[in-house]
Each structure stands twice: as structure tokens, then as C-alpha cells.
Amino acid sequence: QVQLAESGGGLVQAGGSLRLSCAASGRTFSAMGWSRQAPGKEREFVAAIRWDGGIKYYADYADSVKGRFTISRDNAKNTVYLQMNSLKPEDTAVYICAAGQAVPPNDYWGQGTQVTVSS
């Protein structure tokens, strides 16, 4: 059974940083990533990383987070990370981990972790 377990959310002031983690169990995935959903808004893509099975990784970001967020993965731990720097109040949302075989990944979803950025 596939499970995605997120951690690392919390409350931070604008300009601060947080690091999210998502550990997958049950199988490995070519693509893992993050989406977010703010109150009253639709879920939106944030970032994803695809592994070619060898040594290459390909990362993709939403324009709104480029230059501030960095996605990475540790295949040995079957875990994806999202380093979020220079956080803004508009980054406040539930961040949801996703996994699949293509980008954006959407075959499996986690429960989400709350990120709140205060001004």
C-alpha cells in the first residue's frame, strides 16, 4: 500500500524559511513533488522532480516560487524535500505531496501539511 507522509510545516514570519519532507512507502516513483491549496482557492502546482533512473534529475517550478524554493530528493530514503526560502504571506497554504510516473505527479497524494506565513 502506497503512503506519502509529509512533515515540516508550521508558522513562520515573512522572509523566513521552512523545509518540508515527504517520505513515500510501498513503492518508488519516477516523479515526486508538491502542490498547495490556500483557503478558497484551487490546488496549484508548486514543484516537482523527476529521476531518470540513473544519475539525472529534472526539476520544475511554478513561476511564483522560482528562485525561492528548491526541490530535492533522496532516493535511498524514498523522500522528497522542499526547501522554502524568502517566504511570503501569499505562500500560506496546505502543502500536499504527490507522486507518480510523470510530471506533474498525480497518481498518489499525501494528507498535506499546513504552512502559515505571517506578515
Side-chain angles (χ1 to χ4, degrees):
Q1 182 178 359
V2 173
Q3 287 188 325
L4 303 177
E6 302 108 327
S7 61
L11 173 64
V12 64
Q13 289 187 332
S17 298
L18 282 174
R19 188 191 193 210
L20 306 183
S21 300
C22 172
S25 59
R27 59 171 291 183
T28 58
F29 298 94
S30 298
M32 297 184 72
W34 298 88
S35 292
R36 67 186 180 187
Q37 187 163 18
K41 294 187 177 182
E42 293 186 354
R43 185 176 297 185
E44 64 173 355
F45 169 79
V46 174
I49 185 166
R50 182 173 62 86
W51 175 48
D52 71 350
I55 62 172
K56 292 186 177 180
Y57 297 84
Y58 304 88
D60 192 21
Y61 299 92
D63 288 343
S64 58
V65 307
K66 280 182 181 176
R68 299 188 298 122
F69 291 9
T70 302
I71 191 168
S72 61
R73 64 188 289 172
D74 184 335
N75 289 332
K77 297 181 179 180
N78 213 12
T79 298
V80 64
Y81 305 96
L82 186 67
Q83 178 66 44
M84 306 185 294
N85 299 329
S86 303
L87 283 161
K88 304 175 182 180
E90 52 263 43
D91 293 318
T92 295
V94 175
Y95 283 70
I96 307 158
C97 179
Q101 300 306 314
V103 175
N106 58 12
D107 294 331
Y108 298 92
W109 298 91
Q111 293 298 311
T113 184
Q114 177 70 45
V115 171
T116 302
V117 184
S118 63
S119 58

